[in-house]
Structures are given as C-alpha cells and as structure tokens.
Amino acid sequence: AQDARALLDGLEPDTRLDAAKGQLNALKDDRLAALQGALRALPAEDRRAAGTAFNTLKQGIQEALDVFAARQASAAGVSTFDATMPARGMWRGSLHPVTLVIDEICEIFRELGFTIALGPEAETEWYNFGALNFPPDHPAMELHDTLYLGKDTLLRTHTSPVQVRTLQTYKPPVRVLAPGQVYRRDFFDATHAPAFMQLEGLAVDEGISFVDLKATLAEFARRFYGASRRVRFGPSYFPFVEPGAQMDVEVDLNDGKGLRWVEILGCGMVHPHVLEDAGLDSEKFTGWAFGMGPARIAMSRYDISDIRVLYDSDVRFLEQFAR
Ligand code: PHE
C-alpha cells in the first residue's frame, strides 16, 4: 500500500495518472488474488495474523485508488474551467458628460424643493419672446439668432418659455427646474453649437425676495462645487427679470493660470410684466428665475476645451465617463 501511495504522490494530475491506475488495478486484481490463494495454504495458527495484514494491504490499495479518482476528477475540471483566467471585458455604456452634470444639478435642486418641468422645443414667438417682456422688434431677438420654423413658430432660443407655461398651468407656490435643448443660428466652432442644453429654474410665491435668489443659488454652488468655493453676483440684463444678475464661480480651468471667475448662470427677479402676462397678480406674487448652460459647466469640470467633442459620439471620448 505504501508503494502504491508513493507512486501516486510523485505524479501530477495529468495523463500519467492513467499509467498509475493501470498499475494499481493490476496490483489489486492479480497480486491480491494470488496472495488470497496463498493465505488458504498457510497453517491455521498463522492464518489469522496473515489475514489481518492482507486486509490492511487491500484497504491501502483501495485508498490509493480513491485518491487517484479524486485527482483525476479535479484534473478534468481544470481542463474545461480555469477560475484564474481573466474575464472578457464587458461592453458597458456610459452617460454623456452633459447628462451627468444635468442629473447632478437636478438632484441638488430636488433636495431644495424643486420639481422638473418640461416644455416644447418648437415654440411660438409669444412664449419665446412676447410673454417674456421682449418688446416687438427688440434687438435681443436678433441677438438670439433665432431659427424660425414658420411665420410665428420657431425653435426656442432658451428654456425661459417654460417659466410662462408653468405659471399658466400651476398656481404658486411654484418651484421648478426645466432642463431642455435650445437652438440658435450659430455655426459650430470650439465654443459655439447651434443646439445645446439649458437648465431653467423658477420660484414664485408670496413674499419671495432677492435674498431667496442669492441664498438658494449660493447653496447650489456650495453643493455642486464644494463648500470652500467662492461665488459672486454682479448686475446683468435680461428683459424678463428686474433686477437682472449673473452668478460667477471661482474655478480652476487647469491651464496653469489658477483660480478665475467664470460666469455660470444668468438670473434675476421675475419681471412684473411676465407675471401679469401669465395671469398672475404681480402685487401679490414675486419670484426669481435663473438659466444656466450645463455644457459649459461640464467643459470646465472635465477640462474639455472644444465643445464639438460633446457632439461627436466618439466612443473613446464617451467611455471615459463610464462609472
Ligand atoms: N434665458 C436666459 C438666456 O438664455 C438666461 C436666464 C434665465 C436669465 C432666467 C435670467 C433668468 O441667456
């Protein structure tokens, strides 16, 4: 039996096991049968001790054969499944960087009590300009380089018409965030695109002041950019707000020039004309609104210098954002 085990211990679980099995079976079938015959020829007084020795031998050989069977089974397993092989890479999709920024901003404003509102991309002149206090033939209409679909229909140049549609539909208190695509007659270059995303915010209720605007937008910036980031407000002009402002954030564009003020949104108190045109009493209600461009925010956050890569659908660019 010891010889049989020594024979097996020296072998790897491969085809040589077949040779070992042959030898062991021969030992069992031939030599044991011969020994068993010899036992019967022994004198009666020796037979008992010889029988015990014979059984130990037989057991040992069987054990060696069992070990062999186990090794052969695991050897067979290894040949079809190797758990140490590296897995094949999975083809995983990723969200677009602008979508990531929009989702993050929506989540922050959701925590601040805002819900999502959507409006059509094909608008009338009235919703896009008239109801937003643009005087007829105002140069700002030129400034927006509007793409017209017909005499009175156009592709919205900003998401601000959703302010009007929201105020027509829901009674204050209103707090909405409106993400969506907007269009302007611009050629593609490193910093312009004819279609891009905007994010509009609107809060209207009784007794809302500029303090609410500043506090809410500064809190947004703290949550989005980090608590230590400085923000500042400065005057700006949009026909549908009065007063109008812009919010700048100090950002490092990683161009070696350090921190610098970057405008991230336009905002202001909703103009009384806008409230009245939407059917609200501007003596009773006040509100504030903002609009920002998530593509610009994504570009500064992810060090993107040419806006066109956001439109190329190049998988090598997009898969960097897989999470
Ligand atoms: N609609 C403005 C734009 O497209 C942004 C804005 C929205 C400004 C709301 C003030 C209030 O530039």
Side-chain angles (χ1 to χ4, degrees):
Q2 261 161 17
D3 284 352
R5 246 183 267 184
L7 178 70
L8 267 173
D9 285 345
L11 289 171
E12 287 304 313
D14 60 17
T15 49
R16 282 179 295 161
L17 279 168
D18 285 333
K21 187 185 183 184
Q23 289 192 31
L24 276 167
N25 277 326
L27 206 66
K28 192 177 159 200
D29 296 346
D30 303 333
R31 306 269 298 273
L32 282 185
L35 272 173
Q36 207 161 10
L39 271 180
R40 280 193 288 274
L42 283 174
E45 62 268 31
D46 294 338
R47 218 178 279 162
R48 194 181 159 82
T52 309
F54 175 82
N55 281 333
T56 308
L57 174 66
K58 198 175 151 186
Q59 224 177 335
I61 290 173
Q62 189 55 53
E63 268 172 39
L65 275 168
D66 290 346
V67 170
F68 161 81
R71 284 198 195 177
Q72 197 177 46
S74 73
V78 166
S79 67
T80 57
F81 175 74
D82 180 356
T84 66
M85 288 273 284
R88 197 181 304 155
M90 250 198 286
W91 189 260
R92 261 195 309 147
S94 65
L95 291 176
H96 192 278
V98 174
T99 306
L100 291 174
V101 164
I102 291 173
D103 287 354
E104 202 176 312
I105 295 172
C106 287
E107 186 51 37
I108 290 170
F109 278 96
R110 194 202 317 280
E111 288 165 9
L112 298 175
F114 286 70
T115 52
I116 304 294
L118 299 173
E121 292 177 16
E123 271 293 10
T124 64
E125 246 182 352
W126 188 77
Y127 277 107
N128 196 81
F129 295 120
L132 289 164
N133 199 40
F134 284 75
D137 303 318
H138 189 277
M141 290 161 75
E142 283 293 306
L143 214 116
H144 275 202
D145 285 319
T146 313
L147 288 159
Y148 278 85
L149 298 173
K151 199 168 132 317
D152 182 42
T153 49
L154 46 78
L155 289 170
R156 64 179 178 190
T157 59
H158 53 175
T159 42
S160 298
V162 184
Q163 287 187 36
V164 181
R165 291 184 176 276
T166 302
L167 295 176
Q168 285 179 327
T169 314
Y170 302 102
K171 280 199 304 182
V174 155
R175 276 172 210 279
V176 293
L177 203 64
Q181 191 84 350
V182 303
Y183 302 85
R184 293 189 194 175
R185 205 170 51 113
D186 266 324
F187 289 108
F188 264 118
D189 63 26
T191 54
H192 295 86
F196 55 95
M197 292 298 282
Q198 269 196 349
L199 255 176
E200 192 87 7
L202 173 72
V204 174
D205 199 357
E206 287 180 53
I208 288 203
S209 74
F210 199 85
V211 174
D212 299 296
L213 176 159
K214 274 189 81 174
T216 310
L217 293 178
E219 176 61 17
F220 155 72
R222 272 193 290 277
R223 294 196 192 186
F224 187 81
Y225 288 101
S228 60
R229 200 67 71 88
R230 293 202 298 167
V231 300
R232 74 177 182 192
F233 289 84
S236 189
Y237 174 76
F238 305 94
F240 39 94
V241 287
E242 180 57 35
Q246 66 181 54
M247 184 172 82
D248 305 340
V249 181
E250 234 176 355
V251 293
D252 187 350
L253 297 175
N254 282 319
D255 55 2
K257 293 179 188 162
L259 286 173
R260 144 171 18 152
W261 290 107
V262 172
E263 177 191 345
I264 63 151
L265 57 84
C267 58
M269 299 305 291
V270 180
H271 197 289
H273 289 174
V274 176
L275 297 170
E276 296 287 343
D277 279 0
L280 288 181
D281 180 354
S282 64
E283 294 291 321
K284 187 172 173 200
F285 296 109
T286 53
W288 55 269
F290 70 87
M292 59 182 148
R296 291 196 192 287
I297 294 173
M299 287 169 75
S300 69
R301 164 172 281 196
Y302 300 119
D303 278 329
I304 297 165
S305 55
D306 191 324
I307 200 170
R308 288 168 288 197
V309 301
L310 299 175
Y311 297 82
D312 285 344
S313 301
D314 186 329
V315 172
R316 292 165 302 176
F317 169 73
L318 294 173
E319 67 188 0
Q320 298 177 72
F321 301 95
R323 300 197 277 200

